[in-house]
Amino acid sequence: MLGLNYKLLQLEENGKHIMTSIVGAGQMGRGMVGQIMSMKGMRPAVVVDIDIQNAINAYQHAGLKEGDYVIANTISEANDLLAKGKYIVTDNPEIATKTDLIDCAVDATGVPEVGAKVAIDSINSGKHIVMLNVEADVCIGPMLYKMAQSAGVVYTGSAGDEPGAVLEMYDFADALGFDVRVIGKGKNNKVDKAATPDSVLEEATRKGVSPKMLTSFKDGTKTMVEMTAMSNATGYLPDIMGGHGAKGIVSELPDLFRLKNEGGILNNYGIVDYIDGVAPGVFIIISTEQPDIIHELNYLSMGKGPNYVLYRPYHLCSLETPLSVAKAVIDGIPTIAPRKGLVSETITVAKRDLVAGEYLDGIGGFSIYGSFEKASVANEKGALPMGIVNKKTKMINAVKKGEIVTYADVALDNDSLMVQLRKIQDKLYL
């Protein structure tokens, strides 16, 4: 993100602003509104939420007064109000994607079905789109990325999310010519695949977060989704289904992430994984055969080699998202995108014994969790992508706890936009 501060300052000095719309005014969306309001050369022009009060709160917390923002119901109203310099609150997501003065839309809902609609509408309207919705991206992102390229706009994931943060490190090391052997992220608690909204309710209430969201972290689904995004951006693969998830600290990573015949845990290099005990943050493992580089790395206290760890001990989630907006609008470049296509997949696994006739409940629920697998293997097994599961997905076969749920085991919700887009993507790219 080097140099964006100067480019944004220049916009501000020229009286121009990147007009940004944000769909979803939950915790992530509200933080983003406040962050953009603090920046030069950008404006959070539209905030969308199904609860109008959430959008109003986002603006009020960011320092706006009544009269600075106005409720709009239609695109024509929004066009008039933005032209007058007003900020807009609305429950109509089409205002975020189809209003004339908007440069870039951000989906901050985390709901795959909503993210798919926001992305499609943005691309079709000639707007850049930032997806703070990795769940949708890992399922239909390859097609959305190609659609955006054809339309001459940017489709991108977000800075601050762990996939975007790790890709910045990967690009840095790759540009320098290092051999990047492993990319990954930390996790600050052990995976509990049996976690449910009920089992995490007390902790979620105490922390002021959604039990469903906390469940998706606890049961490992969110980590699997994030590693899938890293894989599809770089071509790096899971070494084993679900990743090793070893326990360790930063200084131990170079030795852990070696091949087994070198004393480590890996079957292959060029992989994505996660580590229990190193969080927050992301890491990459690099190597080189150049003797003078090795000498300098030793001088710089980077370790004894041949593997070295680069570690970033933070990621600021949606607070960094505005940088992805700026990079898309100013430079026309994504922060992270599935450039390599569908390399890996977040597949569906039974959290408990599932019976024919019941309906699944999706990410962060009681019935299933996600795991991380090579797309080629997932395709061979007919594994069901987690991102197309919703509450209308019906089991037609029984599946035992811990087993992969396949396409053959379910009746899909064919009215779902995610399902429809995934079917198109499979026809085009499989």
Side-chain angles (χ1 to χ4, degrees), residues 39-165:
M39 297 170 68
K40 302 285 194 299
M42 295 187 71
R43 181 170 293 170
V46 174
V47 179
V48 183
D49 199 274
I50 55 174
D51 183 344
I52 289 286
Q53 190 59 49
N54 288 340
I56 291 172
N57 289 344
Y59 278 139
Q60 289 182 340
H61 294 173
L64 293 186
K65 303 289 190 284
E66 286 189 29
D68 295 332
Y69 56 85
V70 182
I71 295 174
N73 298 307
T74 67
I75 294 168
S76 60
E77 285 179 338
N79 283 330
D80 290 341
L81 290 167
L82 287 184
K84 295 175 182 177
K86 298 294 185 180
Y87 295 87
I88 291 172
V89 295
T90 184
D91 60 3
N92 180 2
E94 291 194 348
I95 288 176
T97 57
K98 298 180 181 181
T99 303
D100 293 343
L101 291 179
I102 294 298
D103 297 304
C104 183
V106 179
D107 177 71
T109 65
V111 180
E113 194 75 12
V114 176
K117 180 71 162 59
V118 171
I120 289 289
D121 285 351
S122 296
I123 294 166
N124 287 339
S125 300
K127 314 292 187 186
H128 304 297
I129 173 68
V130 177
M131 293 288 280
L132 195 61
N133 190 332
V134 194
E135 294 81 0
D137 173 76
V138 298
C139 190
I140 59 170
M143 184 179 70
L144 295 175
Y145 175 61
K146 289 184 180 293
M147 288 178 61
Q149 285 183 308
S150 297
V153 297
V154 173
Y155 170 90
T156 179
S158 175
D161 223 1
E162 284 160 304

Side-chain angles (χ1 to χ4, degrees), residues 28-334:
M28 296 294 180
R30 291 196 304 274
M32 198 186 313
V33 171
Q35 198 68 57
I36 294 175
M37 202 71 78
S38 304
M39 297 170 68
K40 302 285 194 299
M42 295 187 71
R43 181 170 293 170
V46 174
V47 179
V48 183
D49 199 274
I50 55 174
D51 183 344
I52 289 286
Q53 190 59 49
N54 288 340
I56 291 172
N57 289 344
Y59 278 139
Q60 289 182 340
H61 294 173
L64 293 186
K65 303 289 190 284
E66 286 189 29
D68 295 332
Y69 56 85
V70 182
I71 295 174
N73 298 307
T74 67
I75 294 168
S76 60
E77 285 179 338
N79 283 330
D80 290 341
L81 290 167
L82 287 184
K84 295 175 182 177
K86 298 294 185 180
Y87 295 87
I88 291 172
V89 295
T90 184
D91 60 3
N92 180 2
E94 291 194 348
I95 288 176
T97 57
K98 298 180 181 181
T99 303
D100 293 343
L101 291 179
I102 294 298
D103 297 304
C104 183
V106 179
D107 177 71
T109 65
V111 180
E113 194 75 12
V114 176
K117 180 71 162 59
V118 171
I120 289 289
D121 285 351
S122 296
I123 294 166
N124 287 339
S125 300
K127 314 292 187 186
H128 304 297
I129 173 68
V130 177
M131 293 288 280
L132 195 61
N133 190 332
V134 194
E135 294 81 0
D137 173 76
V138 298
C139 190
I140 59 170
M143 184 179 70
L144 295 175
Y145 175 61
K146 289 184 180 293
M147 288 178 61
Q149 285 183 308
S150 297
V153 297
V154 173
Y155 170 90
T156 179
S158 175
D161 223 1
E162 284 160 304
V166 85
L167 191 70
E168 289 178 14
M169 296 179 68
Y170 169 85
D171 286 351
F172 164 78
D174 185 54
L176 285 171
F178 283 108
D179 174 15
V180 183
R181 294 183 161 182
V182 180
I183 62 176
K185 55 157 287 178
K187 194 174 190 316
N188 60 4
N189 49 55
K190 190 172 180 61
V191 171
D192 175 11
K193 294 178 180 178
T196 69
D198 284 348
S199 71
V200 306
L201 180 59
E202 186 276 331
E203 183 180 350
T205 302
R206 176 164 36 87
K207 292 181 174 178
V209 299
S210 158
K212 190 173 180 180
M213 182 183 75
L214 184 57
T215 298
S216 73
F217 285 96
K218 293 276 192 179
D219 69 13
T221 299
K222 189 71 174 179
T223 290
M224 302 298 134
V225 167
E226 289 164 343
M227 291 195 298
T228 303
M230 296 174 191
S231 174
N232 293 342
T234 61
Y236 283 43
L237 293 166
D239 195 38
I240 59 173
M241 177 178 160
H244 292 280
K247 187 173 182 61
I249 59 176
V250 174
S251 62
E252 296 172 333
L253 299 188
D255 288 332
L256 272 172
F257 288 111
R258 292 186 183 186
L259 298 177
K260 288 178 179 176
N261 62 17
E262 298 169 343
I265 64 173
L266 300 182
N267 299 302
N268 302 282
Y269 284 128
I271 65 104
V272 186
D273 217 309
Y274 73 101
I275 192 80
D276 176 11
V278 179
V282 294
F283 68 90
I284 64 174
I285 303 296
I286 62 172
S287 189
T288 179
E289 294 183 355
Q290 292 287 338
D292 286 339
I293 297 176
I294 292 170
H295 175 78
E296 189 159 352
L297 288 171
N298 290 337
Y299 171 75
L300 295 169
S301 301
M302 292 297 294
K304 63 183 184 299
N307 287 356
Y308 306 88
V309 61
L310 302 182
Y311 171 58
R312 175 178 161 176
Y314 68 92
H315 63 102
L316 303 185
C317 301
S318 65
L319 303 183
E320 294 185 54
T321 302
L323 296 177
S324 292
V325 174
K327 188 173 182 178
V329 175
I330 297 172
D331 296 332
I333 298 172

Side-chain angles (χ1 to χ4, degrees), residues 334-357:
T335 300
I336 181 171
R339 290 183 172 94
K340 300 296 183 178
L342 198 69
V343 177
S344 293
E345 189 89 81
T346 301
I347 60 175
T348 307
V349 182
K351 186 174 285 188
R352 54 171 172 77
D353 288 349
L354 303 174
V355 299

